[in-house]
Amino acid sequence: MVRRGILLVEGPDDQHVLRNICERRGILQPDEIRDCGGYPQLIRSLPNQLRFGDPSDAYGVIVDADTDLASRWQSVRDRLRVAGYDELPAVTDPAGTVIEPPQDSILPRAGVWIMPNNQSPGALENLLRVMIPDGDELLSHAQACLDSLAAPPFREADKLKALMHTWLAWQKQPGRPYGTSIGYGFLNASVPQVDGLVAWLGRLIADP
């Protein structure tokens, strides 16, 4: 059975990256990818989005782990419980979590993917970083430029984001957003590190 797939994401970068990964990998596209306007808004609205969703659909939640994977999973897990899901795992599945609704409920199937890989702290940029070809000289130069800054204007937590945007600014078509950079082939969506995300989407949306 193929069900409608609806993904709830933190922002537009996530939207476009996921669309382009699905297109490049030739897999089933989600029917809708909702930009929820940031993590606080996503997590606050999650119970109602699930309660009022069509029970024949599948809802995937994709969020960044940031600095604490366990805390982020606990936050999502608590909101799933508020929505009415039970028998939730204590820790996130390294392969991506898929949760069947309680018997006789009208809740949809739900899934959770915590960027970058359900196992490490980090964010979308950590996944994108491994999509840069090995040995890329521009990446080494971009890293050296950032490391040479005596007083970076950005937070240390945003250093990888600064690296990615610096590197993208030096491509053949400079300054492309993350998603279109996948479409143009600057970022390689075929690396093994993307396989888990693709497999999770298949289990969430397409599996019976």
Side-chain angles (χ1 to χ4, degrees):
M1 175 176 109
V2 176
R3 62 191 78 217
R4 270 174 39 90
I6 298 165
L7 302 184
L8 310 178
V9 301
E10 295 186 37
D13 281 339
D14 307 87
Q15 275 185 319
H16 299 307
V17 164
L18 289 162
R19 287 280 184 210
N20 279 275
I21 284 176
C22 291
E23 183 174 334
R24 295 292 284 192
R25 295 292 294 256
I27 65 169
L28 182 68
Q29 286 270 1
D31 296 275
E32 183 181 354
I33 304 179
R34 293 180 188 169
D35 171 4
C36 295
Y39 183 76
Q41 292 85 347
L42 187 159
I43 204 67
R44 185 166 53 247
S45 68
L46 181 58
N48 281 342
Q49 295 209 57
L50 294 168
R51 286 170 179 156
F52 296 109
D54 189 317
S56 65
D57 292 342
Y59 279 70
V61 178
I62 300 179
V63 295
D64 292 339
D66 290 336
T67 59
D68 191 335
L69 172 67
S71 176
R72 184 51 46 98
W73 166 246
Q74 190 61 53
S75 173
V76 175
R77 184 176 183 266
D78 288 347
R79 300 303 284 171
L80 290 170
R81 191 174 298 282
V82 168
Y85 294 84
D86 53 20
E87 298 184 7
L88 298 169
V91 297
T92 186
D93 186 336
T97 305
V98 175
I99 304 153
E100 297 298 341
Q103 192 172 8
D104 299 325
S105 78
I106 57 171
L107 292 168
R109 174 185 282 182
V112 181
W113 182 274
I114 302 182
M115 288 285 183
N117 57 12
N118 303 294
Q119 301 176 71
S120 307
L124 174 66
E125 284 77 15
N126 293 85
L127 179 64
L128 297 173
R129 167 63 185 81
V130 300
M131 295 166 67
I132 297 175
D134 289 340
D136 186 278
E137 292 184 5
L138 287 177
L139 180 66
S140 299
H141 188 45
Q143 184 69 66
C145 285
L146 294 180
D147 291 342
S148 71
L149 294 174
F154 47 82
R155 301 178 307 153
E156 181 64 25
D158 291 330
K159 188 171 183 179
L160 181 55
K161 183 177 290 189
L163 175 65
M164 291 300 303
H165 284 289
T166 302
W167 181 81
L168 287 171
W170 294 344
Q171 300 308 303
K172 185 175 180 180
Q173 294 176 308
R176 292 285 178 180
Y178 293 152
T180 53
S181 295
I182 296 171
Y184 278 99
F186 303 148
L187 295 169
N188 180 12
S190 296
V191 296
Q193 292 90 334
V194 178
D195 292 350
L197 174 60
V198 169
W200 170 79
L201 285 169
R203 287 191 292 121
L204 176 67
I205 298 172
D207 281 1

